[in-house]
Amino acid sequence: MNIGQAAAASGITAKMIRYYESIALVPPGRRSDAGYRVYSDDDLHVLRFVKRARTLGFSLEQIRELLSLWQNKARASADVKAIALGHVAELNQRIAELTEMRDTLQTLAGCCQGNDRPDCPILQSLGHPG
């Protein structure tokens, strides 16, 4: 299949497939005699793996490690679990930061009268140094 077909089948745009190839995240598609990229079912399987990992929020470097482990039949599942749990810890940190931002904004919005007067605690808070 060509890159457009691989993109449609994997859910990754052709531009992103080219990018992933340029950073050696995925191997480049074979080339036809006419110079077009040609993708096999195995290539499509790798692209779907990458798509699913990106959907779960793994970084490109984490995906690189996961792909390496996935393709290594002598891998230890503990190595895969360590990457997953590390990512869970990162997600928990981001959730805590987002929760704090939401709560702060909710409090500021609650303090704002939302009327025609110029006084606004939201702007006052944004104007104060950290």
Side-chain angles (χ1 to χ4, degrees), residues 34-111:
Y36 294 105
R37 288 177 170 91
V38 178
Y39 296 89
S40 67
D41 288 338
D42 288 341
D43 295 327
L44 190 57
H45 199 57
V46 170
L47 291 171
R48 286 180 177 146
F49 181 101
V50 171
K51 172 68 174 177
R52 177 73 173 137
R54 291 297 288 162
T55 299
L56 291 173
F58 285 102
S59 70
L60 292 177
E61 192 51 45
Q62 289 168 324
I63 293 171
R64 187 181 308 281
E65 291 178 56
L66 290 168
L67 276 170
S68 176
L69 290 166
W70 184 49
Q71 294 164 342
N72 177 2
K73 300 304 179 198
R75 69 182 170 262
S77 64
D79 295 336
V80 180
K81 184 175 181 175
I83 294 168
L85 290 177
H87 184 53
V88 168
E90 292 168 5
L91 290 172
N92 284 332
Q93 177 64 35
R94 286 175 44 201
I95 290 167
E97 291 167 358
L98 288 169
T99 299
E100 184 178 340
M101 284 188 274
R102 181 204 59 209
D103 293 348
T104 299
L105 287 170
Q106 189 69 45
T107 299
L108 289 171
C111 294

